Amino acid sequence: MKTLAFILLILFFWFSASAQVVAIQCVKAPRMAYVGLDNPLKVAVDGYPGSALMVTVDNGGIDGSNGDYIFTPKYPSDSITIRVQVRTPTQIKEVQKIKVKLECFPIDSTTFMGHRSGFITAGQVRVAIGLDGNPQGFELTPHFHVTGFKVRVIRDGEEILSKSLSNRRGARFVDDEEVERVMSNINAGDSIIFTNITYLGYGECTGTMKSMEFVAN
């Protein structure tokens, strides 16, 4: 699962009569995280060892100890709350609660059978059609899949296929008989163009990616 770089964010929390300094190292930018991805987190509370920290989240899960954690928001929401407590011999003290904004991880492109554009063999196209599962031939970040695309095939200057496919669970060539037939019989020199490529990911994240154009050889 993709792990993201993080930026230091220093927060201050007043506890009792003294200043309690809490240092939180969060993802991408202050108070921001990505739904469905592993977000690194470092927490330090002045005056307490890492072993005394108790860090929880109200969306998804968090793993780690001694100040180093990975939290993974599971559900779409405007924000996730990170709660920091410390354990003492006599009690558990509340130190800080912060809200972290949740966003969908942006994906601007995908690959088809390992290629973004250029030449592709007719055999690779046929292999993609025969692949089990969704999607067929498109590769994305884990927990994301292609839900739709328009495919055009041009042979000797003539458009022999122009179809749009859409399936929330994963668009597949075999969902349409004409698409499956034409893509199964690609000839050398045929142009294959994918446009309007849409995706769905963890936390209901959606988007549209760049078009791709191939020439069969």
Side-chain angles (χ1 to χ4, degrees), residues 69-146:
Y69 308 92
I70 296 287
F71 69 99
T72 309
K74 185 175 182 180
Y75 305 105
S77 177
D78 291 335
S79 64
I80 181 173
T81 299
I82 300 173
R83 183 183 187 186
V84 180
Q85 298 171 293
V86 293
R87 183 187 293 108
T88 73
T90 59
Q91 63 178 315
I92 294 176
K93 294 183 178 181
E94 191 78 30
V95 177
Q96 179 69 296
K97 286 183 180 180
I98 65 166
K99 285 189 177 295
V100 174
K101 181 181 179 182
L102 288 184
E103 289 195 353
C104 290
F105 185 73
I107 300 176
D108 66 353
S109 62
T110 182
T111 60
F112 179 69
M113 297 304 291
H115 303 277
R116 294 191 187 278
S117 62
F119 291 102
I120 191 170
T121 68
Q124 286 178 304
V125 177
R126 287 192 290 271
V127 167
I129 295 171
L131 290 175
D132 292 330
N134 300 317
Q136 291 178 305
F138 294 98
E139 297 98 3
L140 280 178
T141 299
H143 304 298
F144 288 78
H145 60 269
V146 171

Side-chain angles (χ1 to χ4, degrees), residues 135-191:
Q136 291 178 305
F138 294 98
E139 297 98 3
L140 280 178
T141 299
H143 304 298
F144 288 78
H145 60 269
V146 171
T147 55
F149 56 84
K150 181 178 182 179
V151 57
R152 299 171 58 220
V153 176
I154 299 173
R155 177 175 296 164
D156 299 326
E158 179 183 354
E159 186 175 77
I160 63 172
L161 177 68
S162 179
K163 275 289 185 74
S164 294
L165 299 178
S166 179
N167 188 327
R168 180 178 173 82
R169 293 184 298 177
R172 295 164 20 109
F173 301 111
V174 295
D175 291 341
D176 185 282
E177 290 184 2
E178 182 185 8
V179 172
E180 182 181 11
R181 176 180 57 79
V182 173
M183 296 294 284
S184 296
N185 293 278
I186 290 294
N187 294 338
D190 288 352
S191 293

